[in-house]
Amino acid sequence: MVEIIQIDEKTWRLEDGFVRFFLLEGEEKAALIDSGVNCPNALDIAQSLTNKPIIPINTHGDGDHTSGTNSFTEICIHPDDYVGCNMQNKYPATSMKPLKDGDIVDLGGRPLKIIHIPGHTRGSVAILDTLKRALYSGDSVQKGHIYMFGKHRCPEQFEESLTKLIALKDEYDCIYASHDEYMVSNDYAEKVRNAWVKVRNGEVPCEVIDLYGNKVKSYTTPDCGFYTE
């Protein structure tokens, strides 16, 4: 069961109990940012909220963000995740419309800027709602634990990507995250970067846990956490 919560007249967050996704409406089109973990009817839900044509945009290709993909013939996603997260085989009826850094998806009076931020996955992107001054960060900026283990992760680029978001801080007033608290302050990318640097420098103790059959190191800081190899 998905809980629908309206943020403003043209923006909704959809909570499926594990992850959240978002619907943004412009004058001509709407964008569905991700589609949840157990929500194959995500398109139907979106269409109940808007009569505009819906563009699916994925922040990344992890399975908890892509459950509604089969409802679309084409999905906007970075090529590194379309391949790296095996989207072409998981959703063979859905083709890729590739996203790249700096792309603008214009919904009609509501331009969305794509920012490539490899780290959590190689093809992770953030989406800047430029006029509403809001950043949709996917899993890369949040108060919860960020997954950084597995072959499609890119931990060596994560700090650089967070620095990239920090440099754009004057362009957004808040960050909408996919997990944990739905909205964090516009300085949260810096908090996540600082925590990640401490983890990489061995300044944070870890606990080895079993996570979905994987033995991983769990790090917890006051601002966020990480699961690593």
Side-chain angles (χ1 to χ4, degrees):
M1 183 70 180
V2 173
E3 182 182 9
I4 301 168
I5 301 169
Q6 194 156 14
I7 296 174
D8 62 35
E9 185 182 1
K10 300 289 186 180
T11 311
W12 297 262
R13 62 182 169 105
L14 300 101
E15 304 274 352
D16 76 0
F18 180 78
V19 66
R20 70 182 55 89
F21 50 109
F22 300 88
L23 180 68
L24 284 56
E25 185 185 68
E27 296 172 6
E28 300 171 2
K29 302 173 185 177
L32 185 64
I33 299 179
D34 294 335
S35 59
V37 66
N38 189 27
C39 193
N41 63 330
L43 176 58
D44 293 336
I45 295 170
Q47 288 175 332
S48 74
L49 299 171
T50 178
N51 60 5
K52 304 291 196 306
I54 295 170
I55 302 170
I57 304 176
N58 262 65
T59 60
H60 61 294
D62 278 347
D64 58 327
H65 294 254
T66 62
S67 67
T69 300
N70 274 333
S71 297
F72 298 92
T73 57
E74 185 178 63
I75 190 165
C76 301
I77 189 169
H78 194 280
D80 286 349
D81 270 18
Y82 187 73
V83 175
C85 296
N86 201 29
M87 299 282 284
Q88 72 274 33
N89 292 318
K90 289 180 181 177
Y91 310 105
T94 303
S95 63
M96 171 185 62
K97 184 173 183 179
L99 295 175
K100 65 179 185 300
D101 189 56
D103 279 352
I104 301 294
V105 179
D106 192 354
L107 304 180
R110 192 171 186 178
L112 307 178
K113 182 179 180 180
I114 304 301
I115 306 164
H116 184 209
I117 48 168
H120 173 62
T121 65
R122 294 186 183 279
S124 284
V125 301
I127 299 161
L128 178 61
D129 192 353
T130 59
L131 299 182
K132 289 187 177 288
R133 296 182 56 82
L135 184 76
Y136 295 82
S137 63
D139 285 1
S140 298
V141 180
Q142 57 168 297
K143 286 190 174 182
H145 273 66
I146 300 169
Y147 285 54
M148 298 297 286
F149 69 92
K151 63 181 181 180
H152 62 296
R153 312 296 177 193
C154 194
E156 67 276 6
Q157 293 189 48
F158 192 43
E159 182 181 348
E160 180 182 352
S161 291
L162 293 169
T163 300
K164 184 177 184 178
L165 293 180
I166 294 165
L168 298 171
K169 189 174 69 170
D170 289 344
E171 297 184 29
Y172 53 90
D173 299 323
C174 65
I175 299 173
Y176 290 116
S178 296
H179 296 278
D180 207 274
E181 292 185 18
Y182 87 93
M183 184 175 68
V184 296
S185 56
N186 75 335
D187 65 346
Y188 222 82
E190 187 170 3
K191 293 179 185 291
V192 174
R193 185 186 65 178
N194 291 344
W196 179 243
V197 169
K198 288 180 180 179
V199 166
R200 295 298 292 268
N201 288 342
E203 299 173 29
V204 180
C206 75
E207 177 187 6
V208 177
I209 65 170
D210 186 283
L211 190 65
Y212 305 119
N214 301 284
K215 292 292 184 183
V216 301
K217 296 177 181 178
S218 175
Y219 297 88
T220 302
T221 82
D223 294 315
C224 65
F226 304 95
Y227 296 126
T228 74
E229 302 282 12

